[in-house]
Amino acid sequence: MNAVDDLSRFLKRLHAQAGAPSRREMAQQTGYGKSTIGDAFAGQRLPTWPVVQALVAAIGGDEDEARELWAAAKGGPHQTQQAPDWLTSVRTDPRDLATRLGFTDACAVAATDPKKALNSSWEVLRLTGGQLAHALYDTLPGHWASDIVATFRRAEEDGHLPAGAAAVADVIKRHYVLSNVHPDEPLAVSDVLQIVPLAYRLAWQATDTVVVSSSNRGE
């Protein structure tokens, strides 16, 4: 047993005392997805403090005790990690932060420089995935391409994105990774011209989700 287990047992006890409400009910009360709530109770990894705080408020419990348990699991006093402005502001469009290529420009450049178009498409998706992770789950994105795909998959499973969103993100990731693993192999323009619309459309859907989530929280 460790400090994360202690926090998990604490949350499970509160959950039982509250009559064991379903994940769907807790999701409605807390504003967090069912996967996030399930992870918090499972104790396999430490949830963020805002998630714990929302759960304790929803099922009843001593917030000070919860904070002490969370801080012990964290390894020290509760500290808020400062996120970069682009990650937290809904007024920052990731498409403007990537390579300065808008959707039309990315399509136009694909014929002459497909790698540039592909890189721009992935960068747009990567940055938007970062905003998505922060807005929905109060986490900072991981550094691996698979972390971004995992964020889209989690958002899809929680009902924030339409079915197939994670599959689209995975296709774009695989093309991007392969192009960097084998940089000398030419990219098919026809493939890139399919990837660009998929990437930007998924980024737009994710951005809409970020805006809605932020509005619901009054940010």
Side-chain angles (χ1 to χ4, degrees):
M1 289 298 190
N2 54 38
V4 176
D5 293 321
D6 291 339
L7 177 61
S8 174
R9 291 200 305 273
F10 170 77
L11 292 175
K12 288 176 180 177
R13 185 174 71 250
L14 293 182
H15 181 246
Q17 292 172 350
S22 67
R23 290 188 188 180
R24 181 183 297 276
E25 292 172 321
M26 288 188 292
Q28 293 173 343
Q29 294 180 50
T30 63
Y32 289 98
K34 292 183 289 184
S35 295
T36 300
I37 294 170
D39 288 345
F41 282 106
Q44 294 180 349
R45 60 182 178 180
L46 180 66
T48 63
W49 168 245
V51 170
V52 175
Q53 187 178 34
L55 285 173
V56 171
I59 57 182
D62 189 327
E63 184 175 312
D64 289 337
E65 183 179 0
R67 184 185 289 272
E68 289 180 5
L69 290 169
W70 183 88
K74 184 73 172 177
H78 173 57
Q79 296 180 343
T80 302
Q81 186 176 6
Q82 185 65 38
D85 291 339
W86 70 263
L87 194 63
T88 59
S89 174
V90 298
R91 288 180 288 277
T92 301
D93 189 339
R95 292 180 293 274
D96 294 333
L97 289 171
T99 57
R100 300 293 179 181
L101 285 182
F103 170 63
T104 303
D105 292 335
C107 290
V109 79
T112 56
D113 194 344
K115 187 172 181 62
K116 183 176 182 179
L118 177 60
N119 287 345
S120 179
S121 298
W122 173 251
E123 189 68 0
V124 164
L125 207 61
R126 184 184 72 82
L127 293 171
T128 310
Q131 284 193 330
L132 196 65
H134 187 273
L136 297 181
Y137 307 115
D138 291 308
T139 61
L140 295 178
H143 298 292
W144 299 96
S146 57
D147 293 327
I148 298 302
V149 175
T151 295
F152 280 95
R153 180 174 295 108
R154 187 176 183 183
E156 178 185 336
E157 291 174 351
D158 288 344
H160 298 295
L161 291 174
V168 170
D170 189 57
V171 167
I172 298 164
K173 181 211 74 173
R174 285 191 285 108
H175 278 82
Y176 169 76
V177 170
L178 285 174
S179 73
N180 284 275
V181 172
H182 305 289
D184 296 330
E185 293 186 7
L187 290 170
V189 174
S190 58
D191 289 344
V192 175
L193 284 174
Q194 293 182 59
I195 290 170
V196 171
L198 288 173
Y200 280 77
R201 183 176 64 180
L202 183 52
W204 292 326
Q205 291 173 329
T207 299
D208 288 343
T209 299
V210 169
V211 172
V212 170
S213 176
S214 300
S215 298
N216 289 340
R217 298 189 187 190
E219 296 178 357

